[in-house]
C-alpha cells in the first residue's frame, strides 16, 4: 500500500503496468481520484469515503487488462544536437561508440510510457534493447531545459532547468511544456517519438516563452470576477505565495496537486470571510506587512499563531486574533510578526485573491514552477469583489495548538510501500527515534534528521539502513510519503512533491496528519506512530 488513501499496484514489467493503467482508466472506477503509472507500478489514489480499500482492490482486479489498441498515440519529431556532456561515458557503459549510440537513438522507435518527475517530462521506451544505462552516481544540481538524457531503459527530455541524474547525450529546442497547448505536455503517455539530428545552426523549433492565463480567480466558486481592490506588499515575508486547492487530476502529465500546504487553514480562512472553501488565499512564512486599497471588505488570519494587527490610515491599531474576521477598509495596513507556533500563516480576504490560472488553479507550485510567482516587495496582489462571496462570515476562534520549534509532535505512519527495502532495525528506528525538522525543509518536503530515542538519554545521529541496494524504478509518490535517499535521512513529502520518484518510501504519514506536518517549523521534532496496515500488501499482477 502507498498510504491510507493510496494503493501501489506492482507488476512484472512495464508493458503489464501500462495495460493495467489503461484498463483502470477506461473502467472509471468510483472513488478513484487519480492513477499514476510508472515503470513497474500504478499508484491508485482513492477517496475512502466513496470506496473501501477491499472493494477497490476487488474492482482493480476485475479491470486489470487494458486494450493494447489504446496505446496508439500521436507522433512527434524532436530535433536533437547530440553533444551532451555524458555522451562518451554513456556509450562506454553500453559498450558502443558514441557514433553508434547516436545512430541507434535516431533509428529506434520511442514511445512515452508514463510521465513524472516534472510537468512535461515523458519516460520513453524503445524497441532497441541497447538502451539500459544507470543514472549518474552523483546527480547534477542543475540540468538545463531541453537536455536529452538516458536512464535505465528510458530516454527523456528535461522540460525546465532542474536537478537530475540522467546521462545527458544531447539537447533540443523543442518545448516540452507549454500551458497554451492542449495538452500542455508535448510528450503525453502513448506519444510516439522520432528523434532527428538538429541543424548545425539555428533550431528547428522556436522556444516559446508564452504563459497561459485563465480567469483571474473564482472567489466564490462561481463566475470569474474583475479585481476591485489590491494589496501592495510593504514588507515581504520570507515567502509569500498565492494558493488554493491546487490541480488534482493532472498526474499523468507530471503535474502534482500542489495547493495550500495546510488545507485546514485554507478552509478556515475562507469560512471566516465568507468565501467558497477553495478560494485563493495568501500563504506566508515569516513576518510581513501589506496595505489594502479598495472597497470595504473582510480579512482573517488562520494557520500559524503569532501577533498581527490591522492599522488604520490614522495610525489606530487593532490586534487580530486567528480565525476572527475583521473589517478591512481603504488604506488599511495589515502587519504580522514571525509566528510563535506553527510555520505558515494563511490570509483570507472576502472576494478572494485573484491571479492568472494554470490548469484551472491559481496555486503556486514551487517545484514545477507553475502558477503565480512568489510575491515580492512592492508587488500588487489583486482582490475580488467582496459582494461576490457566497457566504456570511463565520468566526472560528478555537486555537489548533500548533507546535513551536523544539517541541515534539506525533504523526501516524502506515509502513510501505517499500519498507521491505529496509532492515528491521531501520523500521524500528523510524518509530523509536525522534526526527528533527531541519532548516533545509520547504513546500516540497520536510528534510528530517534522526536524533535520540524516545524517553532516553541516548542521542546522536540515526539513519535508516537499506536491506536492498540498487536503483528503484521510478514510481508514483503521494503527499506524506517518507522517501529515504542514500544518506538514510528521510524526507517527508509535502504539497509540492514530485509525481514520481526513484528512492524507496519506507512509510506514509496518514492524510489526517498532513496539515499538522505542513506547520512544523525548523527545530520541531517528530515521533512517528506506526499504524496497522488496513490490508496486506500484495502485487495485483
Amino acid at each position: 500500500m502507498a498510504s491510507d488513501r493510496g494503493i501501489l499496484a506492482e507488476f512484472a514489467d512495464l508493458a503489464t503496468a501500462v495495460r493495467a493503467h489503461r484498463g483502470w482508466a477506461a473502467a472509471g472506477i468510483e472513488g478513484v481520484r487519480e492513477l499514476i503509472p510508472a515503470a513497474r507500478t500504478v499508484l491508485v489514489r482513492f477517496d475512502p469515503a466513496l470506496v473501501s480499500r477491499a472493494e477497490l482492490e476487488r474492482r482493480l482486479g476485475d479491470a486489470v487488462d487494458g486494450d493494447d489498441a489504446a496505446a496508439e498515440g500521436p507522433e512527434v519529431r524532436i530535433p536533437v544536437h547530440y553533444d551532451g556532456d555524458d555522451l562518451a561515458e554513456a556509450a562506454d557503459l553500453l559498450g558502443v561508440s558514441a557514433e553508434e549510440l547516436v545512430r541507434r537513438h535516431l533509428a529506434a522507435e520511442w514511445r512515452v510510457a508514463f510521465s513524472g518527475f516534472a510537468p512535461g517530462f515523458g519516460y520513453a521506451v524503445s524497441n532497441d534493447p541497447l538502451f539500459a544505462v544507470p543514472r549518474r552516481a552523483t546527480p547534477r544540481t542543475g540540468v538545463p531545459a531541453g537536455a536529452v538524457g538516458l536512464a535505465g531503459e528510458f530516454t527523456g527530455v528535461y522540460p525546465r532547468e532542474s536537478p537530475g541524474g540522467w546521462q545527458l547525450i544531447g539537447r533540443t529546442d523543442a518545448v516540452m511544456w507549454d500551458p497554451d497547448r492542449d495538452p500542455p505536455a508535448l510528450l503525453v503517455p502513448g506519444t510516439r517519438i522520432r528523434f532527428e539530428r538538429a541543424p548545425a545552426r539555428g533550431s528547428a523549433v522556436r522556444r516559446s516563452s508564452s504563459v497561459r492565463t485563465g480567469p483571474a480567480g473564482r472567489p466564490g466558486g462561481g463566475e470569474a470576477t474583475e479585481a476591485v481592490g489590491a494589496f501592495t506588499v510593504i514588507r515581504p515575508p520570507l515567502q509569500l505565495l498565492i494558493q488554493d486547492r491546487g490541480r488534482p487530476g493532472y498526474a499523468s502529465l507530471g503535474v502534482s496537486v500542489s495547493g495550500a500546504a495546510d488545507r485546514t487553514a485554507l478552509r478556515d480562512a475562507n469560512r471566516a470571510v465568507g468565501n467558497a472553501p477553495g478560494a485563493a488565499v495568501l500563504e506566508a512564512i515569516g513576518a510581513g506587512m501589506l496595505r489594502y486599497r479598495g472597497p470595504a471588505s473582510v480579512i482573517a488570519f488562520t494557520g500559524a499563531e503569532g501577533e498581527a494587527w490591522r492599522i488604520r490610515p490614522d495610525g489606530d491599531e487593532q490586534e487580530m486574533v486567528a480565525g476572527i474576521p475583521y473589517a478591512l477598509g481603504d488604506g488599511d495596513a495589515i502587519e504580522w510578526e514571525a509566528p510563535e507556533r506553527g510555520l505558515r500563516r494563511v490570509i483570507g480576504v472576502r472576494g478572494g485573491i485573484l491571479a492568472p490560472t494554470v490548469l484551472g488553479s491559481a496555486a503556486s507550485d514551487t517545484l514545477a514552477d507553475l502558477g503565480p510567482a512568489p510575491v515580492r516587495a512592492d508587488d500588487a496582489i489583486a482582490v475580488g469583489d467582496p459582494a461576490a462571496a457566497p457566504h456570511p462570515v463565520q468566526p472560528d476562534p478555537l486555537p489548533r495548538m500548533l507546535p513551536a520549534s523544539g517541541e515534539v509532535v506525533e504523526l501516524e505512519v502506515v509502513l510501505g510501500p517499500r519498507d521491505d527495502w529496509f532492515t528491521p532495525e531501520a523500521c524500528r528506528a523510524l518509530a523509536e527515534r525522534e526526527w528533527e525538522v531541519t532548516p533545509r525543509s520547504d513546500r516540497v518536503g520536510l528534510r528530517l534528521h534522526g536524533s535520540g530515542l524516545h524517553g532516553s538519554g541516548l542521542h546522536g545521529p540515526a539513519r535508516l539502513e537499506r536491506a536492498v541496494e540498487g536503483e528503484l524504478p521510478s514510481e508514483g509518490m503521494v503527499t506524506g510519503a517518507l522517501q529515504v535517499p542514500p544518506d538514510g535521512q528521510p524526507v517527508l513529502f509535502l504539497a509540492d512533491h514530485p509525481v514520481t520518484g526513484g528512492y524507496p518510501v519506507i512509510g506514509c504519514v496518514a492524510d489526517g496528519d498532513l496539515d499538522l506536518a505542513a506547520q512544523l517549523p525548523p527545530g520541531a521534532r517528530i515521533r512517528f506512530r506506526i499504524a496497522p496496515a488496513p490490508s496486506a500488501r500484495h502485487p495485483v499482477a
Side-chain angles (χ1 to χ4, degrees):
M1 59 180 294
S3 71
D4 59 340
R5 294 177 178 235
I7 295 173
L8 187 70
E10 189 168 9
F11 301 90
D13 52 38
L14 173 64
T16 310
V18 169
R19 285 198 302 272
H21 173 251
R22 292 192 204 109
W24 294 342
I29 300 171
E30 182 182 9
V32 171
R33 292 303 191 196
E34 205 152 36
L35 298 170
I36 305 174
R40 303 287 186 275
T41 60
V42 179
L43 174 62
V44 184
R45 291 181 55 244
F46 71 97
D47 185 345
L50 298 178
V51 62
S52 69
R53 181 178 297 271
E55 176 63 15
L56 177 58
E57 289 179 348
R58 186 190 67 78
R59 295 180 185 179
L60 292 175
D62 291 342
V64 73
D65 291 324
D67 183 0
D68 282 337
E72 192 69 17
E75 179 178 283
V76 300
R77 295 181 177 271
I78 297 179
V80 178
H81 300 274
Y82 285 96
D83 55 4
D85 292 344
D86 303 323
L87 178 59
E89 180 180 349
D92 286 344
L93 289 169
L94 296 174
V96 297
S97 67
E99 292 78 9
E100 176 69 4
L101 187 156
V102 170
R103 184 189 70 78
R104 292 174 69 168
H105 194 261
L106 290 166
E109 298 177 0
W110 296 92
R111 186 186 301 275
V112 179
F114 60 94
S115 299
F117 173 65
F121 191 97
Y123 290 75
V125 292
S126 78
N127 59 343
D128 187 335
L130 171 71
F131 298 100
V133 61
R135 291 177 173 86
R136 290 174 55 85
T138 302
R140 291 180 171 88
T141 57
V143 176
V148 179
L150 300 172
E153 62 193 298
F154 302 105
T155 194
V157 182
Y158 284 76
R160 59 183 292 264
E161 183 176 355
S162 59
W166 286 39
Q167 306 283 355
L168 306 183
I169 63 171
R171 56 190 171 87
T172 181
D173 291 319
V175 180
M176 297 295 107
W177 178 266
D178 181 354
D180 281 329
R181 281 196 304 240
D182 184 18
L186 181 64
L187 303 181
V188 299
T191 300
R192 292 167 292 131
I193 306 172
R194 283 290 186 179
F195 291 104
E196 302 173 336
R197 286 188 184 272
R201 294 181 179 274
S203 60
V205 179
R206 182 174 62 86
R207 186 177 299 280
S208 169
S209 60
S210 60
V211 178
R212 181 174 65 182
T213 60
R218 298 182 183 274
E223 295 301 318
T225 66
E226 297 296 328
V228 299
F231 288 112
T232 300
V233 181
I234 306 302
R235 179 161 57 99
L238 295 175
Q239 185 181 69
L240 185 61
L241 303 173
I242 296 172
Q243 295 294 346
D244 56 20
R245 284 179 166 172
R247 303 178 179 85
Y250 292 99
S252 63
L253 299 181
V255 179
S256 69
V257 175
S258 187
D262 182 346
R263 301 160 299 177
T264 298
L266 169 72
R267 180 201 65 203
D268 290 350
N270 280 317
R271 182 171 58 190
V273 300
N275 288 338
V281 298
L282 296 175
E283 180 184 278
I285 295 178
M289 184 177 185
L290 309 174
R291 187 175 301 280
Y292 175 72
R293 292 292 183 184
S297 190
V298 180
I299 192 168
F301 283 90
T302 59
E305 302 167 25
E307 293 186 310
W309 304 270
R310 182 196 62 194
I311 307 170
R312 297 293 195 189
D314 61 6
D316 179 60
E317 296 184 4
Q318 181 180 16
E319 187 171 357
M320 300 178 68
V321 177
I324 299 297
Y326 291 86
L328 183 66
D330 185 55
D332 286 355
I334 304 299
E335 185 175 13
W336 65 95
E337 294 299 326
E340 299 165 3
R341 310 189 69 84
L343 179 66
R344 293 178 166 88
R345 291 181 189 265
V346 170
I347 306 169
V349 60
R350 188 169 178 83
I353 300 297
L354 304 187
T357 60
V358 177
L359 297 178
S361 170
S364 178
D365 185 332
T366 59
L367 178 66
D369 197 25
L370 290 180
V375 182
R376 308 296 186 192
D378 301 324
D379 281 356
I381 306 167
V383 176
D385 185 354
H391 305 299
V393 299
Q394 300 181 57
D396 184 8
L398 297 178
R400 291 171 60 194
M401 298 303 295
L402 297 174
S405 181
E407 294 184 348
V408 179
V409 300
E410 186 174 86
L411 302 179
E412 184 176 79
V413 169
V414 178
L415 288 179
R418 298 298 176 188
D419 52 306
D420 55 348
W421 277 55
F422 296 87
T423 64
E425 292 77 15
C427 294
R428 285 197 298 270
L430 181 67
E432 294 174 357
R433 292 274 182 170
E434 289 182 353
W435 299 89
E436 183 174 342
V437 178
T438 73
R440 296 186 299 133
S441 302
D442 53 24
R443 277 179 53 89
V444 176
L446 300 181
R447 295 182 179 272
L448 308 179
H449 180 75
S451 57
L453 293 172
H454 299 178
S456 78
L458 179 61
H459 295 279
R463 63 189 308 272
L464 301 178
E465 299 280 355
R466 280 172 55 169
V468 178
E469 299 301 329
E471 293 187 358
L472 176 71
S474 293
E475 58 190 29
M477 296 285 151
V478 298
T479 307
L482 284 164
Q483 190 185 62
V484 185
D487 65 3
Q489 302 298 314
V491 179
L492 199 173
F493 277 161
L494 296 181
D496 289 355
H497 67 85
V499 173
T500 60
Y503 294 133
V505 171
I506 191 171
C508 297
V509 172
D511 185 80
D513 284 347
L514 292 179
D515 292 342
L516 174 58
Q519 289 290 0
L520 297 181
R525 301 195 305 277
I526 301 172
R527 293 176 182 171
F528 291 115
R529 182 180 74 256
I530 307 301
S535 63
R537 186 181 69 246
H538 58 83
V540 171

